[in-house]
Amino acid sequence: MIRIRDLQFGYPGTPFRLQIPTWEVPDAARVAIVGPSGSGKTTLLHLLAGILVPQSGQIEMGNADLTRWSDAARRDFRATQIGLVFQRFELIDYLNVAGNILLPYAINRSLRFGPAVRERMEELAKRAGIAHLLRRPVQRLSQGEQQRVAICRALINQPRWLLADEPTGNLDPENKRLIVELLHQQAEASQATLVMVTHDVSLIADFAMTVDFQAWCSVKSDASR
Amino acid sequence: MTAWTLVRAHLTFHWRRTTVLIGCLWIGCLVPLVLSQVMPEVQKQLQRRANETPVVFGSPGSSLECVLHALYFRPTQAPPLLYGDWQSLQQAGFERCVPLHVRFSTNDYPIVGTHLEYFTYRQCQFLAGEPFGRIGDCVIGSEVARQLELNVGEFLISSPRSFLSIAADYPLQMKIVGILQPTASPDDRAVFVDLKTTWVIENLGHGHQDVSQSNDPNLVLERNEQGTVASAAVLPFTVVTEENLASFHFHGEMADFPITAMVLLDDRQRAQDLAAGVAQKNAKVQTVFAGDVIRELLSLLFQIQNVIVAVSIFVGVATLMLFGLVIGLSVQIRQQEMETLFKLGASRGLTWTLYGLEVLVIAVVALLLAGLISRLIAWFVREDLYLWFV
């Protein structure tokens, strides 16, 4: 369960204000958040992931209130419970596909690497159709392949919440459809809650919950974010 | 998978940048490291030779040139001494004083005319053969034998000092009768002959066919009461054999024949005590205490070393500044990557750990390389270091 109450957030020195009185997402739900660029969708995902902390209000992920946790605790929570997919993939250029998928295990000690993780990586890659690319440098992949690698990386830690920030923003229509299908399949297989931000309304048909971000929350902004 | 995996992958992926950074630090460290390993060995080698040859006698002039000539067989422009000077010293009780005549060379190796006692006093051991026994024999140092691939029984020809005056020094074929064991000293790179052999090369003595009984007008210019005057058509022998050995003779008094230096191969203190008297009595002969001259030379070398180290420090500081600039630019370029790592669950400290590990790896590899290469350089030149400085 994701539960937000009286959330208020603003970037210091900017007119941007995000205010969410209340919002709840049940476990294993599929949620699409739509809205124009700069309306604060990414900010919400970063708040859910514990990357940002609100000025006031509560963000409960499961039974834990993220706003009461230390930086280190939120970092560990992010590493172990959250899977993040970015619009620009944000793969590490000097690692190959396998290295990128296993990246969370190299940067946080809460995650323990072992043979089971390697098997899971191979299984994820197989499901994403990139099992034959594991040794390949990521710059030599197509954009669709790169986003699949990013999705596998988001799922390698078996997250309870999969947060995808416009994961189809840089893809052609065919790849958009494939990636959204893949996200659904992987979330289904992992029993994870999928929260996907997009400004492409054609993609929201498969989502059980849709949030019109601009209408649903209060943003006093010059749309600079 | 650890942070180390990321560091290794980044360094190998950007191998050109890594190589350049390692190279910059390596070069910066190499010179001081090489100097620190080489200079003590140079000091040891120069002092050892000076201790083995405490006193040198030569013509008045530069004491450094005199020492380098007598100890290292370097060419000298100083006027020669006379063999008579050596005879005087012998009569004065300088039993372990040995004359040297070093004016000629063969294949760029100096020909050292001396007495057999040189080998005794220097405690030279023979790798093959035996000491020279007559005019035309030579004993070669181990390095000469190795470089020219020569063995006992083969021949070496002395080189004329000037190609414009080939008549001045007649090229003499010298038979190799012995090869010295390596001593890591200039003796390894010298060709030793009897003093008389160098005088033959200098045309002060020669051997030729007997013209006293010849009636050939081309060979005999004149006969008078003093003897027979031979023409230029009579060619001297260029090799000494059993058959022509008896024909070799010298014109003039041996005491007036030149030598270029004398070395006193005696106990250091005794040699210095003895030589102090000579220095006061004989103005024509310069007495030089090799140890003092070598100490001066070493002090000059250490001053040069200090200058090089100072320059290296400046270069090192400049290198470090450039290194810092490259790392700083790298930090800027990798900001997005570090932000991604943070979003995925890395601490902010990890990013600095990654940079720190990278710098550490580059520095350690550069230092190890510099240490290894400097050791290799020192090892390769360990026996011939003195050649670089004399």
Side-chain angles (χ1 to χ4, degrees):
Chain A
M1 172 78 85
I2 299 173
R3 185 177 292 124
I4 291 179
R5 285 199 194 111
D6 302 325
L7 183 142
Q8 292 206 30
F9 178 81
Y11 292 102
T14 68
F16 177 86
R17 290 291 180 275
L18 179 61
Q19 294 175 329
I20 304 176
T22 178
W23 185 46
E24 290 186 356
V25 178
D27 283 340
R30 308 281 175 268
V31 184
I33 300 176
V34 290
S37 297
S39 57
K41 304 187 294 294
T42 300
T43 301
L44 175 61
L45 284 195
H46 285 183
L47 286 164
L48 294 177
I51 296 168
L52 297 173
V53 184
Q55 276 82 31
S56 64
Q58 286 182 330
I59 302 173
E60 286 182 19
M61 303 290 283
N63 295 320
D65 183 357
L66 287 189
T67 57
R68 294 175 186 275
W69 284 4
S70 66
D71 286 350
R74 277 186 280 112
R75 213 164 46 229
D76 290 346
F77 163 78
R78 194 155 65 243
T80 54
Q81 306 286 319
I82 300 285
L84 273 169
V85 183
F86 307 100
Q87 180 179 356
R88 293 196 194 91
F89 323 137
E90 300 191 19
L91 300 177
I92 306 299
D93 62 352
Y94 54 83
L95 295 175
N96 60 18
V97 170
N100 268 284
I101 295 174
L102 295 171
L103 183 61
Y105 287 83
I107 59 173
N108 193 296
R109 289 181 183 168
S110 306
L111 297 170
R112 296 280 173 208
F113 182 71
V117 177
R118 185 166 286 282
E119 277 176 28
R120 190 159 65 245
M121 184 262 292
E122 286 165 0
E123 177 60 28
L124 280 169
K126 197 172 158 188
R127 274 165 27 199
I130 54 169
H132 61 293
L133 303 174
L134 287 176
R135 300 269 166 224
R136 188 171 291 186
V138 288
Q139 318 99 299
R140 286 171 52 194
L141 302 180
S142 69
Q143 293 215 316
E145 288 168 336
Q146 287 190 27
Q147 192 58 298
R148 289 173 205 212
V149 175
I151 290 169
C152 290
R153 180 179 68 187
L155 290 162
I156 189 67
N157 56 350
Q158 298 177 301
R160 285 181 64 187
W161 294 280
L162 182 57
L163 309 179
D165 186 5
E166 303 208 31
T168 59
N170 288 335
L171 301 179
D172 57 75
E174 176 62 15
N175 267 314
K176 276 183 185 177
R177 191 183 55 77
L178 289 172
I179 290 299
V180 172
E181 275 178 22
L182 182 64
L183 278 171
H184 279 292
Q185 285 167 12
Q186 303 289 40
E188 180 71 34
S190 315
Q191 284 301 298
T193 303
L194 172 62
V195 180
M196 189 180 96
V197 159
T198 182
H199 61 268
D200 186 347
V201 289
S202 68
L203 298 173
I204 62 177
D206 297 331
F207 286 82
M209 277 178 77
T210 304
V211 177
D212 184 349
F213 197 75
Q214 209 165 23
W216 173 75
C217 68
S218 167
V219 181
K220 295 171 187 169
S221 168
D222 59 356
S224 62
R225 297 269 171 183
Chain B
M1 289 289 286
T2 58
W4 169 242
T5 314
L6 295 183
V7 170
R8 199 181 52 193
H10 187 257
L11 290 176
T12 49
F13 184 80
H14 297 287
W15 62 271
R16 285 189 189 88
R17 190 201 72 144
T18 306
T19 308
V20 168
L21 287 176
I22 288 173
C24 288
L25 286 186
W26 171 69
I27 290 168
C29 301
L30 187 66
V31 174
L33 275 174
V34 168
L35 282 177
S36 73
Q37 300 210 10
V38 162
M39 287 308 286
E41 185 62 25
V42 170
Q43 184 180 10
K44 205 168 77 181
Q45 288 184 10
L46 292 178
Q47 280 180 339
R48 188 180 64 204
R49 187 73 170 174
N51 289 338
E52 288 168 357
T53 322
V55 176
V56 172
F57 300 105
S59 297
S62 160
S63 55
L64 177 63
E65 184 180 333
C66 182
V67 167
L68 295 185
H69 175 71
L71 269 60
Y72 296 97
F73 312 134
R74 310 302 285 183
T76 177
Q77 300 301 319
L81 298 172
L82 297 178
Y83 190 63
D85 293 327
W86 174 78
Q87 289 171 322
S88 304
L89 284 179
Q90 283 281 294
Q91 285 161 8
F94 288 77
E95 291 160 5
R96 291 172 71 100
C97 182
V98 181
L100 297 176
H101 182 288
V102 191
R103 277 184 156 175
F104 306 106
S105 64
T106 173
N107 294 287
D108 293 330
Y109 292 106
I111 296 173
V112 181
T114 185
H115 286 170
L116 283 174
E117 286 76 14
Y118 183 89
F119 301 128
T120 313
Y121 299 151
R122 284 247 188 254
Q123 298 176 327
C124 296
Q125 303 290 317
F126 278 78
L127 201 63
E130 56 191 13
F132 47 75
R134 66 176 195 204
I135 295 171
D137 285 353
C138 71
V139 168
I140 59 175
S142 59
E143 196 57 23
V144 179
R146 192 181 69 82
Q147 291 279 350
L148 302 180
E149 298 179 357
L150 291 171
N151 282 311
V152 171
E154 293 182 270
F155 287 87
L156 272 169
I157 302 176
S158 65
S159 313
R161 279 177 296 180
S162 167
F163 288 107
L164 300 173
S165 176
I166 54 172
D169 316 320
Y170 213 81
L172 183 70
Q173 271 196 61
M174 300 170 292
K175 184 181 181 185
I176 300 167
V177 295
I179 299 172
L180 295 176
Q181 279 192 352
T183 55
S185 76
D187 296 343
D188 293 345
R189 295 170 175 273
V191 175
F192 294 94
V193 296
D194 187 85
L195 261 184
K196 287 176 183 167
T197 304
T198 53
W199 290 333
V200 168
I201 299 171
E202 199 159 0
N203 258 337
L204 296 170
H206 50 218
H208 52 72
Q209 66 190 93
D210 185 5
V211 291
S212 60
Q213 306 302 319
S214 173
N215 291 321
D216 186 343
N218 292 326
L219 299 178
V220 178
L221 289 178
E222 183 188 346
R223 281 187 208 283
N224 54 35
E225 290 166 1
Q226 278 88 39
T228 306
V229 179
S231 76
V234 178
L235 292 174
F237 296 123
T238 58
V239 61
V240 183
T241 63
E242 288 295 336
E243 292 74 31
N244 67 20
L245 178 62
S247 75
F248 276 82
H249 56 279
F250 293 89
H251 297 276
E253 287 297 320
M254 203 166 280
D256 295 331
F257 285 1
I259 57 175
T260 55
M262 297 180 282
V263 287
L264 189 53
L265 302 171
D266 209 334
D267 169 73
R268 196 171 164 211
Q269 192 55 51
R270 201 174 107 84
Q272 289 186 346
D273 292 346
L274 278 169
V278 178
Q280 290 166 350
K281 285 178 196 165
N282 194 343
K284 287 190 296 179
V285 176
Q286 179 184 209
T287 305
V288 182
F289 298 102
D292 295 345
V293 174
I294 292 297
R295 262 192 296 282
E296 278 178 39
L297 176 66
L298 281 172
S299 105
L300 181 67
L301 288 179
F302 284 122
Q303 282 177 28
I304 295 170
Q305 182 193 5
N306 289 339
V307 171
I308 294 172
V309 168
V311 170
S312 298
I313 288 171
F314 277 112
V315 172
V317 169
T319 306
L320 282 179
M321 287 167 77
L322 283 173
F323 186 82
L325 178 69
V326 171
I327 296 295
L329 289 173
S330 175
V331 169
Q332 280 190 354
I333 290 168
R334 296 180 71 187
Q335 242 172 0
Q336 177 63 49
E337 173 197 335
M338 295 305 166
E339 195 56 34
T340 302
L341 295 186
F342 174 70
K343 287 177 190 169
L344 293 176
S347 66
R348 294 288 185 196
L350 179 82
T351 62
W352 296 110
T353 304
L354 293 178
Y355 292 130
L357 274 175
E358 279 196 26
V359 171
L360 190 68
V361 168
I362 289 168
V364 166
V365 171
L367 277 174
L368 282 177
L369 264 180
L372 186 72
I373 301 289
S374 64
R375 285 234 160 198
L376 277 176
I377 290 172
W379 187 80
F380 271 117
V381 298
R382 71 194 185 286
E383 288 185 352
D384 303 326
L385 274 174
Y386 64 89
L387 289 173
W388 296 45
F389 299 93
V390 297

